[in-house]
Structure formats: C-alpha cells, structure tokens
Amino acid sequence: MTLSSSFRRTLALVALALPAAFPLGAQPEPQTAGPYNTLIIRNATIIDGTGAPARGPVDIIVKNNVIEQVVAGDAISRGRGGASSAPVPAGGRVIDGTGMYVIPGLIDLHMHLNDSPGIPLEYQYKLLLGHGVTTVRTFNVGQMTPEQMVAEKQRSAENKIVAPRLYVFPFWRADPRDPRFSNAADAAAIVREWKSKGVDGVKMAGLPGEYPDIFKAVADEVHAQHMGLAVHIAQEAVFPMNAVRVAADGATTVEHHYGYAESSFTDRKIQKLPPDYNYASEPDRFYQTGAVWLQADLEKLHGDVIDSLLATQARTGFTMVPTMVVYEANRDLERAKSLPWHEKFTLPDVMAHWQPNPKSHGSYFYHWTSTDEGDWAQMYHRWMDFVEDYKNRGGQVAVGSDVGSIYALWGFGTIREMELLEQAGFSPLEALHSATEVGAISLGDHKLGAIRPGYTADLVVLTANPLDDFKILYGTGATRQASDGRAVQVKGVKYTIRAGVVMDSQSLLQDVQNMVSKAKTGNATSGGRQ
Ligand SMILES: [Zn+2]
C-alpha cells in the first residue's frame, strides 16, 4: 500500500464519523418533490464536472430548474453556518450539505429503453436515478417506436414520470414496410421527419450494406439538422469497417471497441479468422471481435489512428463511447454472473435473458474458455491503453454502459464504466469529467454536465467523496469500517436532482428491490422473455 492510499483510507474512516453519513433529525421526506422556487444546498463541497478539483464549502442556489448561483464560502469560516444565509422564501427548501459532496448528474450515452415484458421502464429509470444518472442517450430495443420514445422523453421533461432526461436516437433499420430506409435518396427526408417529431439523433449499427451511400446521406442531414449520429460498427470479414473512416464520414460517436483495431490495418489486410468461423454465430463473432485487437498494428493505432480521430474531433466534435462494462463478462465470466447486486436488484426476467440462448442477443456463453478470457484480458490491455492515450492527447471519451445485456445492470453499469476508465489510467476527476461535461458536450447541450450558474439543475448529493471511491455510488454501497470496528456498507447517493426535482435516491432503489422481491416471490407465472 502506498502512503497516499493509506492516507486516503484514514480520511475515509474519519469521514464516516461525520453526521452527514447518518442524518440527524430525520423527518419523513417525499421520494420526489420540486422543482422549488428556491432550493439551496448549503455548505457542501462541489466537484463541478469540468475537471476542476473539489472546492467548498459553497452554497448552490437553484431557482426552479436552473442553478442560479454557486456562492463560495471562505474555507476558513467553515463551521460558522454556511456560505450564505439568505432567507428561503415560502415553498423553498434547504438541504444541509455539511460534509456532503455535490457532483453534476451523471450522463450515460449508451442506453436502450427496453419495453420487453417483465422489465418495466420504471425499474430501469429508478435504477439509473438511484445511481445519480440524470441523463441518458437512448436507442430502442424490442418494439419501441421512435414516437413512443419521444413520448417518454416528453413525459420525463414535463415531470409526469420519474425518469432521467432522455435523448432519443432510434435505430436506422432496413424496413420492408418502408423501403425509404434502404434508399440513399430518401434518407434525408426520414431524418427531417424524425427531427420534426422530437428525435435527437440516429443510431446506425452494422453498416456494410448502408455504407457509404445511405450512411453519408444520413450523416449529412443529421449534421444539417444539428442532430447526433451514433454508430456501432459491425465486424465484417469481407469489408472490414474502420472507425477512422466512419468518424470522418460523419459519425458523431463511435460506440464500443469496434473498428479501431481495423483502422490500424492497411487497406488490403483482413482479420485472420479460423476456417470454421461463421459470422452468424454469436459465440464466434464475439470472440473474434475482441481477438482482432491482438492483430492490430500498435504503432499505427497510437500514431495515425489517433491523429486522424483527433482531426475529426476538431472538425465535428466526434466522441468515443467505449462501453467497456458491457464486455467485461468476456474477460471474467464468473465475476459478471455473480456480481453482488444481482440478488436484490436484478429482475428474474433480466437474469433469464442473460442465460445462454441463441434467441437472446449477447447471451452466447456456452463454451467460453479460460483461453477466451485470457485473450479478452489482453484485448482489454490494448483497448484501455488506446482509450487512455486518446484522452491524454485531447480526445473526448464519454461514459456509456449499454446495460441490459451481458450481465450489465442499469445504473450499476454506469458506475462500473467510471471504474473501468480508472483502470485504463483516467484519474477519478477525468473519469467523472467523462461522465458529466464530456457527455453533455457530445449531446450538444452546453447547459448540462457542470455545476455553474445558468446551467440546468441536474445534481447528485453524496454523503461521501466519490473521488476517494466510485463504489460509494453503487446501490449496494462500499464497505467501510465503522467506529466500533464493524464493516458497514456506505451507500453514498443521497439525493438525485433532475431539473430541480429532488429525489430520495435510496428510496428509489428500495422500490427497485421491492419490484425484484415481488417478481421472485409473487408471480411464479412469469414465463421470462424470449
Ligand atoms: Zn447498445
């Protein structure tokens, strides 16, 4: 153990003794309330999301859904009643932030609103909010239409449902009922139609059949309409897609790890694949999408590839969204299956979906071997080095979790992604920056993702310092030593505030646990999803 980590541990112990972890005079609080004419979070320490260090004490003054002021107190006057003592008007609220930390609401750029039976949206939303995730960029799965997604977005914006802020990016899919999706000449009209309905961007996955004609048409219109274009590049042995090219042609984000290793290939090089490889087999495909990193030209990857992506970023604002968490099962399957939160927070239908089944996307672990995990562990080394290098050279890397698949659970996945960025080499401040301001910039909303006057009041109030340990954000908490020597779980997310609406985070997570226990005991009739 290094001196500094032992010092940090001592600080954490001391912090436990502060009253903030054990609120006094607890009156029953509403689960959700506000927005307020005036909301003051008094005497807190903020980590503002821009990458700036923690500072405090400050008072954050919110009027309705906007941060009006951040009043810095003199650190020397700590303990003298806070930085500002302006009276609060009737109907206002004060949160005593003494000993607490406030960060911007977390932004998760890779989410799928899932309308499958047995997986209520309320469950997904409360898991996210309970972990401080106030904004998600969501793609659709199942039967959800762009119109239904926009309707959810509007209900959330109007505070009719308890949900994060939604940015809606429907999938571009070949549709036999609407041949326009397969025709470059019609693509722009669909993008404009979606825009007029309230859609924020387009998600494209796969690509070879759409590339470059349809893709270019979509990308050009998306840019003209100031929308976003998220791309999941498919591995395609015949025509290896390439992240550098797709970004340069107009993807505003590239999802996952696909297309980077291929970008280090020459135009004639094709990934080496075993003779019995079949692209339609998910176990084959998932293994080989990782193995391609072991064939990458590392010098070119860290040279030309990063140079090109940075040049595109300067031109278009391109952002990398790695979603490392959703592939973690590939490098350690048993860990992913037995995560401590599955018992109380994972619905039986969700767990059923993850069991090996050719009908379920991403549920391919029939014969996943030690060697497969070894290769994936090496792949992660290369991928993480690449992401770390990209960030250090000025690249934008945002947090996205792609939860709902491969043992990655809503909310928990967002926090885990921040931990994985740390494992790649990000400092805690950098990982938090990726989960806040970088996400906001990528969404094109410059009033989100930071604690600043004039910004939207999306805030998370924490009873412990997230820069000491992101695990305090987990719904299951982080283990700490109490003053009597016992090990206790510190669940650090106290309030999740979205557009000035204050939510009791742990109460939301209790609702989730109730849903799970009810599903386990109450309805043995649920047949699980297909
Ligand atoms: Zn996804």
Side-chain angles (χ1 to χ4, degrees):
M1 186 191 290
T2 63
L3 244 183
S4 79
S5 76
S6 115
F7 179 61
R8 278 168 53 192
R9 265 160 236 281
T10 310
L11 279 181
L13 246 174
V14 172
L16 249 188
L18 291 173
F22 304 100
L24 299 171
Q27 284 176 2
E29 284 177 348
Q31 185 183 68
T32 299
Y36 296 92
N37 56 21
T38 302
L39 168 69
I40 303 180
I41 305 169
R42 201 159 260 170
N43 211 30
T45 299
I46 62 169
I47 307 162
D48 71 8
T50 65
R55 65 192 165 92
V58 303
D59 285 5
I60 304 166
I61 302 171
V62 173
K63 300 270 171 155
N64 296 307
N65 60 345
V66 175
I67 299 168
E68 190 192 60
Q69 286 185 69
V70 180
V71 185
D74 180 357
I76 298 164
S77 74
R78 192 190 289 263
R80 275 200 235 146
S84 77
S85 48
V88 180
R93 180 170 174 182
V94 175
I95 290 174
D96 180 6
T98 306
M100 300 208 192
Y101 288 77
V102 182
I103 59 174
L106 302 178
I107 298 173
D108 190 316
L109 287 194
H110 194 118
M111 191 70 51
H112 298 264
L113 276 196
N114 195 323
D115 67 343
S116 304
I119 311 177
L121 288 173
E122 182 194 356
Y123 167 79
Q124 301 163 49
Y125 293 154
K126 286 185 171 173
L127 271 173
L128 291 164
L129 291 166
H131 285 86
V133 179
T134 52
T135 297
V136 300
R137 186 181 62 163
T138 181
F139 318 126
N140 40 353
V141 291
Q143 304 304 312
M144 205 163 219
T145 63
E147 291 77 9
Q148 288 169 318
M149 295 169 79
V150 169
E152 282 294 297
K153 164 183 154 172
Q154 281 163 353
R155 276 195 285 274
S156 170
E158 291 162 6
N159 294 327
K160 289 183 176 154
I161 51 172
V162 174
R165 169 178 294 98
L166 302 176
Y167 281 82
V168 168
F169 278 54
F171 270 102
W172 190 274
R173 283 198 183 101
D175 182 348
R177 291 160 306 176
D178 190 347
R180 295 182 305 157
F181 284 94
S182 308
N183 186 346
D186 296 325
I190 297 174
V191 173
R192 283 194 296 272
E193 214 174 283
W194 278 2
K195 168 83 176 185
S196 73
K197 288 177 179 169
V199 163
D200 301 290
V202 177
K203 167 84 183 285
M204 294 183 96
L207 287 186
E210 291 146 2
Y211 201 82
D213 298 345
I214 299 173
F215 177 80
K216 265 307 265 177
V218 171
D220 289 349
E221 193 59 29
V222 154
H223 284 269
Q225 299 293 334
H226 306 288
M227 296 163 78
L229 177 55
V231 178
H232 167 149
I233 300 169
Q235 180 210 40
E236 173 75 34
V238 184
F239 177 42
M241 290 307 288
N242 165 328
V244 162
R245 204 179 298 155
V246 169
D249 282 352
T252 53
T253 60
V254 166
E255 311 300 301
H256 315 305
H257 63 87
Y258 306 124
Y260 298 114
E262 289 87 342
S263 300
S264 76
F265 290 0
T266 64
D267 278 351
R268 292 283 171 265
K269 181 178 161 76
I270 294 170
Q271 180 184 0
K272 286 191 197 77
L273 296 166
D276 56 352
Y277 173 82
N278 181 349
Y279 182 78
S281 152
E282 278 208 335
D284 281 8
R285 191 167 76 236
F286 268 94
Y287 170 77
Q288 293 295 343
T289 58
V292 69
W293 282 83
L294 308 183
Q295 299 172 31
D297 177 337
L298 292 183
E299 203 175 315
K300 197 169 168 201
L301 194 62
H302 288 262
D304 292 354
V305 172
I306 287 183
D307 290 345
S308 304
L309 291 172
L310 288 172
T312 296
Q313 179 185 302
R315 195 165 51 80
T316 69
F318 169 76
T319 305
M320 193 180 277
V321 186
T323 73
M324 290 181 188
V325 58
V326 80
Y327 303 101
E328 246 198 318
N330 291 349
R331 74 169 185 180
D332 191 347
L333 178 57
E334 298 311 319
R335 177 189 186 280
K337 280 159 72 173
S338 57
L339 286 164
W341 43 82
H342 288 324
E343 186 195 344
K344 288 188 174 158
F345 291 93
T346 303
L347 279 170
D349 282 348
V350 173
M351 190 49 95
H353 175 71
W354 293 335
Q355 301 315 303
N357 183 349
K359 288 184 188 164
S360 305
H361 174 59
S363 302
Y364 48 81
F365 297 107
Y366 293 97
H367 187 146
W368 197 257
T369 66
S370 316
T371 306
D372 293 341
E373 289 189 357
D375 288 348
W376 265 85
Q378 291 185 59
M379 173 276 187
Y380 263 81
H381 289 152
R382 290 185 170 199
W383 183 21
M384 285 177 158
D385 285 351
F386 174 69
V387 172
E388 163 74 357
D389 197 14
Y390 185 64
K391 176 265 296 172
N392 286 341
R393 292 177 53 194
Q396 294 182 161
V397 178
V399 163
S401 61
D402 199 12
V403 285
S405 292
I406 327 183
Y407 300 101
L409 193 65
W410 290 266
F412 290 91
T414 312
I415 308 308
R416 181 62 182 166
E417 185 69 10
M418 291 161 72
E419 290 194 290
L420 288 169
L421 289 176
E422 271 202 272
Q423 290 185 19
F426 285 49
S427 70
L429 268 179
E430 288 171 336
L432 187 64
H433 184 223
S434 284
T436 53
E437 192 182 43
V438 175
I441 289 169
S442 179
L443 289 169
D445 187 336
H446 296 266
K447 299 284 184 195
L448 274 188
I451 303 177
R452 277 185 179 150
Y455 273 52
T456 303
D458 281 16
L459 302 163
V460 192
V461 180
L462 303 166
T463 60
N465 181 358
L467 300 178
D468 170 58
D469 186 1
F470 287 137
K471 290 186 199 300
I472 60 111
L473 293 157
Y474 281 132
T476 42
T479 306
R480 294 289 183 272
Q481 188 177 18
S483 43
D484 64 359
R486 279 177 310 124
V488 293
Q489 290 303 105
V490 172
K491 297 171 186 174
V493 187
K494 175 81 177 151
Y495 299 112
T496 305
I497 303 173
R498 203 219 68 221
V501 175
V502 180
M503 292 167 264
D504 179 333
S505 321
Q506 296 305 317
S507 169
L508 298 172
L509 291 175
Q510 188 56 53
D511 283 0
V512 169
Q513 294 179 74
N514 294 346
M515 281 183 230
V516 171
S517 76
K518 197 172 160 207
K520 283 182 174 176
T521 56
N523 62 357
T525 52
S526 166
R529 41 177 282 181
Q530 289 298 300

